[in-house]
Amino acid sequence: MKVVISGLAVVSPFGLGTGPFVAGWRAARPAASPGEDPPVARLPELTGDDFTPNRRVRLKERSSALAVGTVGALLAAYDLGDVPAARRGVVLGSALASLDSYLAVSGGSLAGAKPHFIDHNLMPPGIMNYTSSQAAIRFDLRGPNVTVTSGRASGLTALGCARRLVAAGRADAVLAGAFEALSPRRLRLESAADRATALPGEGCCVFLVETADSAERGGRRVLATPLALTAGFFPDPDEGRAALHRTVTRALAQAGVTAGDVATVVRGASAPGRYADDETAVLADVVPGVPVLDPAARVGDTYGASAAFGVAAAIVEADAIAEAAAAPPAGVTLVTSIDPDGQVACAVLAPGARVPTPVG
């Protein structure tokens, strides 16, 4: 059974919609927000019913509004009328999705006159699976509902989960992706942990994952085929390089390709330092001389969404190559991720058809 990516929706600092992301990526320019000191890559103001908190769907966190709005953008761009609601799933990943609400509840419990004197409205958003559940309620996604968190690798983890759900017959179509929002708490935590980057960013990428047969029946073009999605873990920082090396080589073996078949690499480490050096060394050893793209240089360090932006960048880059050559691109793309907390992941993507004209 061939599982493919047949849809893409992106909300990035370039703008609300896939179109602005494609244009910004092709222009190869950073999306730093003007007037910010220190610089950040911040989203434009979230507007519209799917992006703002409302009573119909109780979105209490900006990150949840961002993710649910991006799911809505994908469903607006791709008609899934051929897929029953009970066969539509959703898998969303993030590193810090419920952080603000969780810390607000915890802080309120400590600072209030009594421990239970807290804002009860913040309890649901403080639960990890709040966002994916709200997306399912809002858009009638009655199939599998999954939340994953694996740091910077969350986007690849979500795609891998969606791929398994479709391959196992648990769903006909799964909306999978990752999101992360900027907040003062996040920036303070990153600084305290000595993980601050030159350009912090935020955004969300959601992909439509289904079988090739399902995409053909629905008239949806294949944007990419995940030939392999592998992940690993390293408990000791000194083992990061070896863990990533094993993960990348295993992905190539599972995909049935060699290093010579790799045309492009999209890297995950976002800032100079130990893990960026580890990733550079692994790529130089496994796929020497292959061009390496860094999404963080354009959309900023989106942390939990960084691997998802890597996949989106791989799709858009393959599209640009196909347009320039007037022919499908040759070779496959590697998307790698390494996180200081111990997660590593790698995807091998075969290019598909041209990206359709974006909606929004």
Side-chain angles (χ1 to χ4, degrees):
M1 180 184 295
K2 185 178 181 182
V3 180
V4 301
I5 297 172
S6 58
L8 166 67
V10 181
V11 173
S12 73
F14 290 124
L16 303 183
T18 308
F21 173 73
V22 172
W25 180 265
R26 289 190 172 194
R29 56 181 172 84
S33 305
E36 296 269 9
D37 187 23
V40 297
R42 195 181 300 279
L43 293 170
E45 188 62 30
L46 300 178
T47 58
D49 188 46
D50 288 337
F51 284 105
T52 54
N54 59 76
R55 293 182 62 84
R56 186 152 48 89
V57 178
R58 298 187 308 155
L59 299 176
K60 300 295 184 181
E61 280 204 334
R62 186 168 177 273
S63 62
S64 297
L66 163 63
V68 173
T70 309
V71 170
L74 188 144
L75 291 171
Y78 299 90
D79 182 9
L80 292 185
D82 57 306
V83 182
R87 302 291 298 172
R88 302 179 193 175
V90 58
V91 182
L92 293 177
S94 180
L96 300 171
S98 303
L99 176 73
D100 278 350
S101 292
Y102 177 80
L103 291 180
V105 170
S106 301
S109 180
L110 294 171
K114 294 184 178 181
H116 58 278
F117 285 178
I118 59 175
D119 183 355
H120 66 276
N121 289 318
L122 293 177
M123 290 295 290
I127 299 172
M128 182 179 168
N129 67 341
Y130 171 80
T131 302
S132 60
S133 299
Q134 293 301 317
I137 294 168
R138 171 70 176 86
F139 300 110
D140 199 26
L141 309 174
R142 302 185 191 181
N145 186 301
V146 183
T147 299
V148 299
T149 180
S150 51
R152 312 182 70 82
S154 294
L156 293 182
T157 306
L159 269 180
C161 180
R163 184 172 178 244
R164 291 192 297 273
L165 288 172
V166 172
R170 298 290 301 277
D172 293 335
V174 178
L175 283 66
F179 63 98
E180 202 73 83
L182 277 172
S183 71
R185 283 191 178 97
R186 174 190 155 190
L187 296 177
R188 287 197 297 269
L189 285 173
E190 289 178 351
S191 178
D194 197 25
R195 297 182 187 177
T197 57
L199 184 64
E202 60 180 349
C204 178
C205 303
V206 178
F207 308 93
L208 177 58
V209 180
E210 59 183 334
T211 65
D213 291 340
S214 174
E216 184 177 2
R217 287 195 303 270
R220 294 177 288 273
R221 288 176 281 178
V222 175
L223 303 182
T225 301
L227 301 179
L229 285 158
T230 59
F233 179 75
F234 57 98
D236 188 309
D238 291 335
E239 299 173 4
R241 184 175 300 190
L244 182 61
H245 195 286
R246 288 193 301 270
T247 302
V248 173
T249 53
R250 191 167 80 249
L252 291 173
Q254 287 184 8
V257 300
T258 66
D261 298 315
V262 178
T264 310
V265 173
V266 184
R267 64 178 300 159
S270 64
R274 175 177 196 156
Y275 298 102
D277 293 343
D278 286 345
E279 189 174 32
T280 298
V282 169
L283 296 175
D285 181 58
V286 179
V287 285
V290 175
V292 178
L293 302 176
D294 182 6
R298 305 188 194 184
V299 298
D301 173 21
T302 55
Y303 193 26
S306 61
F309 271 99
V311 175
I315 292 172
V316 173
E317 187 69 18
D319 182 65
I321 293 171
E323 181 180 7
V332 299
T333 300
L334 282 187
V335 181
T336 59
S337 180
I338 182 168
D339 186 274
D341 288 332
Q343 296 92 355
V344 291
C346 179
V348 181
L349 303 176
R354 300 291 310 283
V355 176
T357 303
V359 176

